[in-house]
Amino acid sequence: MDLPAADGPGGFAYTDADAEKRRGVRRMKTIATGLLLLAAVVFALARWAQHNGAGAWSGYVAAAAEAGMVGALADWFAVTALFKRPLGLPIPHTAIIPTKKDQLGQSLGDFVGENFLSADVVRARLHALGLGSRVGGWLAEPDNADRVTAEASTVLRGALTVLRDNDVQAVVGEAINRRAAALEVGPGLGKLLEKIVADGGHRRVVDLVCERAESWLILNGPSVVGAVAGGAPGWTPRFVDRRVGERVYKELLRFIGEMRDSPEHPARGALDRFLSDFAADLQGDTPTRARVERLKGEILARDEVQDFIASAWTSLRGMIVGAADDERSELRLRARAALLSFGQRMAADERLQAKADGWAEDVATHVVTTYQHQITSLISDTVAGWDADQTSRKIEANIGRDLQFIRINGTVVGSLAGLVIYTVYRAVAG
């Protein structure tokens, strides 16, 4: 009868392949037991023939059959003792697998740790493999570079799809706020402004402002004149207010035009001095730096800034996902070209290969030396969690057929040995 499937933390799942193996074990058991019974029948018949005056041959046959029975019984006991107690008797050192399962698991873990997870073994094995040369040669093949690029794109696309926008936005926003809060921006801005003023980079901005101011004054001349006239005292005549407004308007146009056209205009020099002083204050004046920090905090706290972060992430993710899907996208083409270039360099540059090999050896050695106990404990703890009876049945299903050959060989070898011993005895005694 086949064993039922068993699943659980302490058991196994018996598959159709396991069931077929157990049927093969039972067939071999039948054959081995049949040989034992055959040897017993032959022994009985040979003894009967010997007592009834048969020839000398009966003694040889009886000796061979008797030794075959002894060999078969001894090997049956040895094989059975691995998995259970023979005939159910509490014989010491039997049912080895069920009773010694935990010790076997510990020994297996120790064996793996000593022979596979030692730093010297791992380093020597990796050094012999020559990973740098192998990886370089593999990546240098265009088909392999295409495959790696496609797989990396799939992983990237899947990761970005799984990530929730709200979580990413919260993490990015927190990182930006934390970084910005920890970094004082005043000195950096001061140095930047100082360099811009020293290089004259701000002059184009001043030119643009002057041009825009002049254009605005030209388009809004009546409004400017009206605004100036409207601000005059009530006791002055209105035509005087009008003349004053027109005069102010003309002076403003003249001033803006001269400032625009003359690089050496006094107003430009005053602006240069102001910007230089402001750059110095940003770097060294404590009150100015404090005001800048307060302004920075107010800007970061605004909803518009957080909305910008959210929209930036959404746009960036869409761009990356789209590029990962498109085989002809710049992202994938650059990644493929980088892989091919790296593979070609790795395949040709022995120093780079040595660096890659050393890096791989160092990483693997660090892992096995740091986590050796955890890995071996996983083996021993897993074996310890198995059910003893199910473990015996599982192992027997996989190796029991070969063990039954031991019983068969024991019967045959025992018979031959008994025949040889009896022949020598008869030769010496006769």
Side-chain angles (χ1 to χ4, degrees):
M1 183 176 68
D2 292 338
L3 288 173
D7 292 300
F12 301 96
Y14 288 95
T15 63
D16 293 338
D18 292 324
E20 181 61 31
K21 291 176 182 178
R22 289 193 61 80
R23 285 192 289 271
V25 172
R26 285 195 294 273
R27 286 193 295 268
M28 293 306 301
K29 281 184 177 180
T30 301
I31 295 174
T33 303
L35 285 178
L36 171 60
L37 295 176
L38 177 62
V41 170
V42 170
F43 173 74
L45 291 176
R47 283 297 188 186
W48 177 82
Q50 189 177 21
H51 286 303
N52 285 279
W57 62 267
S58 59
Y60 290 93
V61 173
E66 182 178 16
M69 285 191 299
V70 173
L73 288 172
D75 289 336
W76 166 82
F77 182 88
V79 171
T80 303
L82 287 173
F83 305 102
K84 58 185 178 181
R85 299 191 183 280
L87 303 177
L89 300 175
I91 303 173
H93 305 293
T94 57
I96 294 174
I97 291 178
T99 57
K100 300 291 185 180
K101 173 179 63 66
D102 294 350
Q103 293 91 322
L104 290 173
Q106 184 64 48
S107 298
L108 178 60
D110 294 340
F111 175 80
V112 172
E114 293 172 1
N115 296 278
F116 295 93
L117 299 180
S118 67
D120 293 338
V121 171
V122 171
R123 189 175 290 277
R125 182 58 179 166
L126 289 177
H127 184 75
L129 287 176
L131 287 178
S133 176
R134 289 172 179 262
V135 172
W138 190 83
L139 283 177
E141 296 292 333
D143 290 342
N144 296 330
D146 290 338
R147 179 180 176 184
V148 173
T149 303
E151 293 295 336
S153 298
T154 301
V155 172
L156 178 61
R157 184 172 61 252
L160 292 177
T161 302
V162 170
L163 289 175
R164 294 191 302 179
D165 288 345
N166 292 338
D167 294 338
V168 176
Q169 292 163 11
V171 171
V172 173
E174 181 183 359
I176 292 176
N177 291 333
R178 184 171 59 250
R179 178 65 177 170
L183 178 64
E184 186 180 358
V185 298
L189 290 176
K191 290 180 180 179
L192 177 62
L193 180 58
E194 184 179 41
K195 182 171 179 56
I196 290 174
V197 173
D199 295 340
H202 66 295
R203 291 171 184 167
R204 282 186 250 174
V205 178
V206 175
D207 293 340
L208 178 62
V209 171
C210 291
E211 291 174 2
R212 291 299 180 89
E214 185 181 34
S215 299
W216 186 87
L217 285 173
I218 293 173
L219 292 174
N220 297 276
S223 299
V224 174
V225 173
V228 174
W235 50 266
T236 58
R238 297 190 64 179
F239 76 92
V240 174
D241 297 340
R242 183 74 181 176
R243 294 295 297 274
V244 171
E246 291 174 352
R247 182 65 178 176
V248 170
Y249 173 69
K250 291 179 181 179
E251 289 297 322
L252 282 174
L253 277 177
R254 183 185 62 80
F255 176 80
I256 294 298
E258 291 177 353
M259 186 174 178
R260 180 199 61 194
D261 298 333
S262 176
E264 305 300 327
H265 194 277
R268 285 180 176 265
L271 180 60
D272 291 347
R273 290 190 296 273
F274 167 77
L275 292 176
S276 297
D277 292 342
F278 184 56
D281 290 342
L282 285 173
Q283 298 180 67
D285 185 61
T286 301
T288 301
R289 291 167 59 177
R291 285 195 296 270
V292 171
E293 288 300 303
R294 286 195 298 270
L295 178 61
K296 177 191 71 177
E298 293 173 359
I299 293 174
L300 290 175
R302 295 185 64 86
D303 293 337
E304 293 85 349
V305 175
Q306 301 304 317
D307 292 341
F308 172 76
I309 295 174
S311 62
W313 161 249
T314 302
S315 300
L316 179 62
R317 189 188 69 166
M319 290 171 52
I320 296 176
V321 171
D325 283 331
D326 185 6
E327 294 183 0
R328 308 306 302 172
S329 68
E330 189 69 18
L331 176 65
R332 291 188 60 163
L333 292 176
R334 286 182 177 273
R336 179 183 182 276
L339 286 172
L340 282 173
S341 176
F342 177 75
Q344 292 166 358
R345 285 184 55 204
M346 180 76 77
D349 192 339
E350 294 183 357
R351 290 187 300 173
L352 187 58
Q353 293 173 15
K355 287 183 179 180
D357 291 342
W359 179 82
E361 292 169 16
D362 291 341
V363 171
T365 301
H366 173 75
V367 171
V368 298
T369 54
T370 304
Y371 301 102
Q372 182 187 64
H373 177 70
Q374 287 83 346
I375 297 173
T376 56
S377 294
L378 176 64
I379 297 173
S380 58
D381 293 344
T382 300
V383 174
W386 290 346
D387 179 79
D389 293 334
Q390 291 184 8
T391 301
S392 297
R393 289 194 289 268
K394 183 76 170 181
I395 295 176
E396 186 179 12
N398 284 273
I399 66 172
R401 191 171 183 274
D402 294 324
L403 293 177
Q404 298 310 311
F405 276 105
I406 294 177
R407 294 178 57 192
I408 295 173
N409 293 336
T411 305
V412 175
V413 173
S415 299
L416 294 175
L419 180 61
V420 170
I421 293 172
Y422 184 78
T423 300
V424 173
Y425 167 75
R426 292 290 296 178
V428 173

